[in-house]
Amino acid sequence: VSDHSNPLPHMFPSAEQFGRDVGGLGVSNADTVVIYDAGGWVAAPRAWWMFLSYGHRNVRILNGGLKKWRAEGRAVESGEVKPKPATFHASYDPKRVRSIEQMIANVESRKEQVIDARAAERFEGRAAEPRPGIRAGHIPGARNVPYSQLFDAATGEMRPLDDLRRSFTGAGVKLDAPIVTSCGSGVSAGVLTLALYRIGVTDTALYDGSWSEWGQASGPPIATGPA
């Protein structure tokens, strides 16, 4: 469910496409949507934020995902799923998403704090990016909170609220000031967005293009080293 005309990976689609694709999965505006992933906290938060961004507030995430579900001995099934199509009317809220133009302007104004979800070695520019042709480093002025710090890899559960709060404040993030989350391609940034939401910071935005856009050879200036 992404903009297939955009060369960047899995960018937000139009509201029309989101409604059509989600409706094709059998989801209607009247449904409570519960999202889970394999338990590594990568995909589910991104899908959750997309639903919120397209006007569907009745959406939840299963804490621990499929990993915890299986560990508890709960039933699973396999095979092809053929949902009955439904009608989903999407209404896009641009306040929840940031473009590269807005991010470039923010480097000058510093009105919004930028938090990067990538691992420290990638954020600091000590490790090469996995995507060919992408520079190493981070957006000038950004802070780093690796998304892997926010959940227990053994159980798949997100960490307690006090631990989440310490992860952000320990990185120098002011929880009472505007925040934009970012990552490699706009997916794991959703983990930060969800963690912030859980501790009461609900009005953040997500930089959709993230480092796959900013880090291109022709992209804006970058920074390296610790925040």
Side-chain angles (χ1 to χ4, degrees):
V1 184
S2 64
D3 180 0
H4 303 296
S5 68
N6 195 315
L8 294 169
H10 40 251
M11 296 288 283
F12 269 58
S14 66
E16 180 184 12
Q17 184 195 335
F18 185 85
R20 182 178 65 248
D21 290 354
V22 168
L25 295 174
V27 181
S28 77
N29 297 94
D31 287 327
T32 297
V33 177
V34 180
I35 303 172
Y36 70 90
D37 55 30
W41 285 103
V42 178
R46 166 73 181 199
W48 161 80
W49 192 243
M50 290 182 76
F51 270 99
L52 287 179
S53 298
Y54 289 103
H56 194 76
R57 300 194 59 82
N58 197 9
V59 57
R60 307 287 186 269
I61 292 180
L62 179 62
N63 194 8
L66 189 61
K67 183 172 186 175
K68 185 172 184 287
W69 183 271
R70 282 176 164 159
E72 293 174 344
R74 301 187 184 278
V76 297
E77 62 184 20
S78 60
E80 184 180 0
V81 176
K82 294 182 179 180
K84 180 181 178 180
T87 299
F88 189 98
H89 297 288
S91 178
Y92 178 61
D93 181 1
K95 296 192 299 296
R96 296 182 184 269
V97 184
R98 293 290 179 271
S99 67
I100 190 169
E101 292 80 13
Q102 291 171 307
M103 298 300 290
I104 290 171
N106 188 67
V107 170
E108 296 298 324
S109 69
R110 300 294 171 95
K111 290 182 178 179
E112 297 179 316
Q113 302 169 97
V114 180
I115 314 175
D116 195 314
R118 293 175 299 156
E121 57 267 23
R122 289 176 62 189
F123 176 85
E124 295 175 10
R126 295 184 284 109
E129 285 294 305
R131 292 180 174 83
I134 300 297
R135 298 172 292 170
H138 60 265
I139 297 172
R143 300 285 181 176
N144 185 213
V145 178
Y147 81 95
S148 60
Q149 294 181 0
L150 304 180
F151 65 92
D152 186 329
T155 66
E157 294 180 273
M158 188 165 270
R159 295 195 181 279
L161 300 186
D162 286 344
D163 290 353
L164 299 180
R165 193 172 286 106
R166 280 191 291 268
S167 290
F168 290 107
T169 58
V173 177
K174 298 177 181 178
L175 298 177
D176 58 350
I179 292 172
V180 178
T181 60
S182 181
C183 60
S185 62
V187 175
S188 60
V191 185
L192 273 58
T193 303
L194 174 65
L196 288 163
Y197 208 94
R198 293 193 65 212
I199 60 176
V201 184
T202 61
D203 56 351
T204 66
L206 185 148
Y207 173 27
D208 197 22
S210 284
W211 197 249
S212 63
E213 182 175 42
W214 192 284
Q216 292 185 37
S218 60
I222 65 173
T224 57

